[in-house]
Amino acid sequence: MARVLNAAPGPESESPMSYDTIEQTATDTSSAAPAELPRLTVLGTGYLGATHAICMAVLGYDVLGVDTDRSKIEALASGRVPFFEPGLPEMLAKALDSGRLRFTTDLAEAGEHGDVHFICVGTPQRADSAGADLRFVEGVTRDLAPYLRRRCLVVGKSTVPVGTAARLTQILQDNAPAGTDVELAWNPEFLREGFAVEDTLRPDRLVFGTESAWATAQLEAAFAPLLEAGVPVVHADLPTAELVKVAANSFLATKISYINAMAEVCEATGADVQMLATALSFDSRIGGRFLKPGLGFGGGCLPKDIRAFIHRAEELGVGKSVAFLRQVDAINRRRRERTVDLIREEAGGSLEGVRVCCLGAAFKPNSDDIRDAPALDVARMLKQEGAIVSVYDPEAMDNARRAYPELTYADSAMEAARDARVVALLTEWEQFRAIDPATLADVVAQPHVVDGRHALDAAAWRGAGWSYRALGRTA
Ligand code: UDX
């Protein structure tokens, strides 16, 4: 049975300890932290790895960040975070100043440095199936192994299909000079983009999947400041630890698609999904988080994780158990098509030659990530139907331009809206919520707005003369 340490308040209650306090406890030499902290390596310096490496160094660990991409390593070593994440550049400066954070492309150096090695490389969707592409996870494990000459712990953090840890253990022990002295553990990561620092320094929980008391002790030493701060820890076996992440993401995706399915029912009945969601949210068994209707989920995790989970469950002969996730995915995809329908309706039935302003490109606000971004998918479909699409996003413009060079980009929301016949709000950035509808009405050709994220005040926009539409609400 899983052991739970530090069982703490529920996820919606406020934890009493701020992460400033956690930092202070960790770097205070008089604290109860183990006399000798393990030296850490972090393999893969993308979103997850860079955040983990930086935060662990700030917490007092001696950290070596490793990546095959020299440009990423050079950027980080010179103090530049190569993606948009609020708060992370300041933390990187702090970590580099402490002298406890270095970066390299050299796995031999990593093998020499690390007592605990965290694997943080990506597991994207495979090109030829819905399964997870394990090339990077297996590759880094195989490449690191020959440099593991002493007792150490390798810890998987990447999101993987259940059963991967067993394979990686075999790869490590077959190829490492230290043989079975190299152990593997699983410690899934739940950080959200936009809240990466907070989620790393003050996670809701830690999951330690281990196969020996020694591995557990290493993980406890590697997270000592968080344990001291009272973060709950669930001790589990390897397959359970691997499953937790996909189970959590599947649950979140299901919750979003559930309310979006209700939006479809609302449209057929004249009901209002936003009122419905508000009424449901007061039931503490349901709760309001991840119950926000709209254009649905995107990003580098939720969509590919549920598909990889379906794929893996089918391989294991339990496909029926997660067959509902196909519906979750289908409902989510339909949101994008339905948003295009509303825009077309507002344009008078055809999008041919119609100027449409798309506010937002990132898959969610406070991020420059456009992976599987619903906003850009909608922009692409509009363009395919002949619309003249002008896109603006506060942070994701460079990424969007690279991925969708066929779209037109504007330098501001106002410029994107100039002469538009329909304005579509597709990512709910605060600056879009704050737009004054009367001011915007002056620059558009026609005051028609489709609020893909239920982010605008419908009454205020209608009051300023706009035709306001949103998924799951009456026209
Ligand atoms: C997610 C998980 O939340 C995180 O725990 C995991 O580690 C990685 O995957 P992230 O991809 O950063 O994190 O995004 P998240 O905040 O979960 O949002 C995912 C998508 O769902 C976004 O496109 C967002 O717009 C959408 N969403 C979220 C909704 O449509 N409605 C909601 O109520 C909540």
Side-chain angles (χ1 to χ4, degrees), residues 189-193 245 249 252 256 290-292 296-298 301-302 363-364 453:
E189 178 58 59
F190 304 98
L191 70 79
R192 297 160 300 166
E193 296 188 13
K245 177 62 185 285
N249 276 356
L252 295 172
I256 298 168
F290 279 73
L291 203 65
K292 218 157 46 64
F297 57 83
C301 294
L302 261 46
F363 84 101
K364 67 173 187 181
R453 293 293 182 181

